[in-house]
mmCIF file of all heavy atoms in Angstrom:
data_model
loop_
_atom_site.group_PDB
_atom_site.id
_atom_site.type_symbol
_atom_site.label_atom_id
_atom_site.label_comp_id
_atom_site.label_asym_id
_atom_site.label_seq_id
_atom_site.Cartn_x
_atom_site.Cartn_y
_atom_site.Cartn_z
ATOM 1 N N ILE A 33 7.469 59.399 -222.194
ATOM 2 C CA ILE A 33 7.187 58.061 -221.695
ATOM 3 C C ILE A 33 7.531 57.819 -220.287
ATOM 4 O O ILE A 33 6.861 57.222 -219.491
ATOM 5 C CB ILE A 33 7.660 57.024 -222.670
ATOM 6 C CG1 ILE A 33 7.078 57.166 -224.065
ATOM 7 C CG2 ILE A 33 7.441 55.617 -222.130
ATOM 8 C CD1 ILE A 33 7.864 56.376 -225.132
ATOM 9 N N GLU A 54 26.271 50.028 -238.314
ATOM 10 C CA GLU A 54 26.850 50.985 -237.393
ATOM 11 C C GLU A 54 25.767 52.024 -236.960
ATOM 12 O O GLU A 54 24.948 52.366 -237.763
ATOM 13 C CB GLU A 54 28.038 51.751 -238.038
ATOM 14 C CG GLU A 54 29.336 50.955 -238.095
ATOM 15 C CD GLU A 54 30.444 51.776 -238.639
ATOM 16 O OE1 GLU A 54 30.280 53.046 -238.793
ATOM 17 O OE2 GLU A 54 31.592 51.232 -238.877
ATOM 18 N N PRO A 56 24.290 55.346 -236.761
ATOM 19 C CA PRO A 56 24.504 56.453 -237.612
ATOM 20 C C PRO A 56 24.761 57.776 -236.818
ATOM 21 O O PRO A 56 24.612 57.803 -235.634
ATOM 22 C CB PRO A 56 23.258 56.534 -238.450
ATOM 23 C CG PRO A 56 22.133 56.008 -237.434
ATOM 24 C CD PRO A 56 22.816 54.911 -236.671
ATOM 25 N N GLU A 58 23.829 61.535 -235.496
ATOM 26 C CA GLU A 58 22.550 62.031 -234.944
ATOM 27 C C GLU A 58 22.026 63.124 -235.824
ATOM 28 O O GLU A 58 22.816 64.016 -236.264
ATOM 29 C CB GLU A 58 22.801 62.489 -233.609
ATOM 30 C CG GLU A 58 21.572 62.976 -232.860
ATOM 31 C CD GLU A 58 21.771 63.417 -231.448
ATOM 32 O OE1 GLU A 58 22.610 62.722 -230.764
ATOM 33 O OE2 GLU A 58 21.173 64.371 -231.001
ATOM 34 N N ASP A 76 6.436 74.388 -246.141
ATOM 35 C CA ASP A 76 6.940 74.799 -244.846
ATOM 36 C C ASP A 76 6.997 73.615 -243.849
ATOM 37 O O ASP A 76 5.922 73.105 -243.481
ATOM 38 C CB ASP A 76 6.138 76.021 -244.327
ATOM 39 C CG ASP A 76 6.814 76.734 -243.124
ATOM 40 O OD1 ASP A 76 7.778 76.157 -242.578
ATOM 41 O OD2 ASP A 76 6.263 77.779 -242.816
ATOM 42 N N GLU A 173 11.230 35.640 -219.498
ATOM 43 C CA GLU A 173 10.700 37.020 -219.954
ATOM 44 C C GLU A 173 9.775 36.960 -221.071
ATOM 45 O O GLU A 173 9.927 36.141 -222.037
ATOM 46 C CB GLU A 173 11.909 37.975 -220.293
ATOM 47 C CG GLU A 173 12.749 38.319 -219.182
ATOM 48 C CD GLU A 173 13.916 39.264 -219.627
ATOM 49 O OE1 GLU A 173 13.849 39.769 -220.763
ATOM 50 O OE2 GLU A 173 14.796 39.446 -218.824
ATOM 51 N N HIS A 182 8.985 57.301 -235.934
ATOM 52 C CA HIS A 182 8.198 57.992 -236.973
ATOM 53 C C HIS A 182 7.767 59.363 -236.453
ATOM 54 O O HIS A 182 7.340 59.511 -235.304
ATOM 55 C CB HIS A 182 7.062 57.112 -237.316
ATOM 56 C CG HIS A 182 7.334 55.883 -238.062
ATOM 57 N ND1 HIS A 182 8.583 55.256 -238.043
ATOM 58 C CD2 HIS A 182 6.682 55.227 -239.001
ATOM 59 C CE1 HIS A 182 8.588 54.224 -238.888
ATOM 60 N NE2 HIS A 182 7.397 54.217 -239.459
ATOM 61 N N ALA A 200 2.634 48.570 -219.944
ATOM 62 C CA ALA A 200 3.633 48.584 -218.900
ATOM 63 C C ALA A 200 3.159 49.157 -217.561
ATOM 64 O O ALA A 200 3.427 48.639 -216.504
ATOM 65 C CB ALA A 200 4.876 49.263 -219.413
ATOM 66 N N ASP A 235 18.422 34.314 -223.995
ATOM 67 C CA ASP A 235 17.973 32.986 -223.572
ATOM 68 C C ASP A 235 16.742 33.058 -222.645
ATOM 69 O O ASP A 235 15.996 32.087 -222.586
ATOM 70 C CB ASP A 235 19.071 32.220 -222.959
ATOM 71 C CG ASP A 235 20.145 31.722 -223.904
ATOM 72 O OD1 ASP A 235 19.835 31.762 -225.219
ATOM 73 O OD2 ASP A 235 21.215 31.331 -223.511
ATOM 74 N N ASN A 249 -9.613 50.906 -237.935
ATOM 75 C CA ASN A 249 -10.828 50.180 -237.748
ATOM 76 C C ASN A 249 -10.693 48.738 -238.319
ATOM 77 O O ASN A 249 -11.743 48.077 -238.400
ATOM 78 C CB ASN A 249 -12.038 50.886 -238.332
ATOM 79 C CG ASN A 249 -11.910 51.107 -239.853
ATOM 80 O OD1 ASN A 249 -10.986 50.704 -240.462
ATOM 81 N ND2 ASN A 249 -12.825 51.742 -240.456
ATOM 82 N N GLY A 260 6.830 29.653 -235.258
ATOM 83 C CA GLY A 260 5.513 29.275 -235.782
ATOM 84 C C GLY A 260 4.514 28.668 -234.797
ATOM 85 O O GLY A 260 3.355 28.860 -234.869
ATOM 86 N N LYS A 361 -1.294 26.989 -216.808
ATOM 87 C CA LYS A 361 -0.503 26.091 -215.838
ATOM 88 C C LYS A 361 -0.354 24.659 -216.352
ATOM 89 O O LYS A 361 -1.044 24.267 -217.368
ATOM 90 C CB LYS A 361 -1.292 26.020 -214.510
ATOM 91 C CG LYS A 361 -1.641 27.411 -213.925
ATOM 92 C CD LYS A 361 -0.345 28.154 -213.559
ATOM 93 C CE LYS A 361 -0.762 29.376 -212.851
ATOM 94 N NZ LYS A 361 0.415 30.208 -212.498
ATOM 95 N N ASN A 365 -2.846 15.313 -211.956
ATOM 96 C CA ASN A 365 -4.032 14.670 -211.361
ATOM 97 C C ASN A 365 -3.427 13.836 -210.174
ATOM 98 O O ASN A 365 -2.538 13.029 -210.282
ATOM 99 C CB ASN A 365 -4.631 13.712 -212.334
ATOM 100 C CG ASN A 365 -6.021 13.177 -211.780
ATOM 101 O OD1 ASN A 365 -6.232 13.077 -210.649
ATOM 102 N ND2 ASN A 365 -6.885 12.854 -212.707
ATOM 103 N N LEU A 372 -12.436 9.920 -211.719
ATOM 104 C CA LEU A 372 -12.862 10.199 -210.374
ATOM 105 C C LEU A 372 -14.346 10.350 -210.342
ATOM 106 O O LEU A 372 -15.094 10.624 -211.251
ATOM 107 C CB LEU A 372 -12.354 11.651 -209.991
ATOM 108 C CG LEU A 372 -10.797 11.648 -209.674
ATOM 109 C CD1 LEU A 372 -10.469 13.031 -209.397
ATOM 110 C CD2 LEU A 372 -10.520 10.789 -208.391
ATOM 111 N N GLY A 388 -18.906 33.544 -218.240
ATOM 112 C CA GLY A 388 -18.878 32.998 -219.586
ATOM 113 C C GLY A 388 -19.661 31.713 -219.706
ATOM 114 O O GLY A 388 -19.523 31.102 -220.784
ATOM 115 N N VAL A 441 -0.442 22.048 -209.184
ATOM 116 C CA VAL A 441 0.268 22.719 -210.242
ATOM 117 C C VAL A 441 1.661 22.420 -210.225
ATOM 118 O O VAL A 441 2.404 22.395 -209.199
ATOM 119 C CB VAL A 441 0.045 24.224 -210.205
ATOM 120 C CG1 VAL A 441 0.888 24.971 -211.249
ATOM 121 C CG2 VAL A 441 -1.488 24.531 -210.203
ATOM 122 N N ASN A 450 -5.621 38.786 -212.354
ATOM 123 C CA ASN A 450 -7.006 38.847 -212.609
ATOM 124 C C ASN A 450 -7.248 39.738 -213.811
ATOM 125 O O ASN A 450 -6.429 40.589 -214.106
ATOM 126 C CB ASN A 450 -7.737 39.505 -211.416
ATOM 127 C CG ASN A 450 -7.706 38.521 -210.240
ATOM 128 O OD1 ASN A 450 -8.022 37.393 -210.382
ATOM 129 N ND2 ASN A 450 -7.380 39.061 -209.008
#
Side-chain angles (χ1 to χ4, degrees):
I33 295 168
E54 284 187 5
E58 183 176 323
D76 192 349
E173 293 181 11
H182 286 27
D235 287 344
N249 64 2
K361 308 296 183 181
N365 188 335
L372 288 173
V441 176
N450 293 315

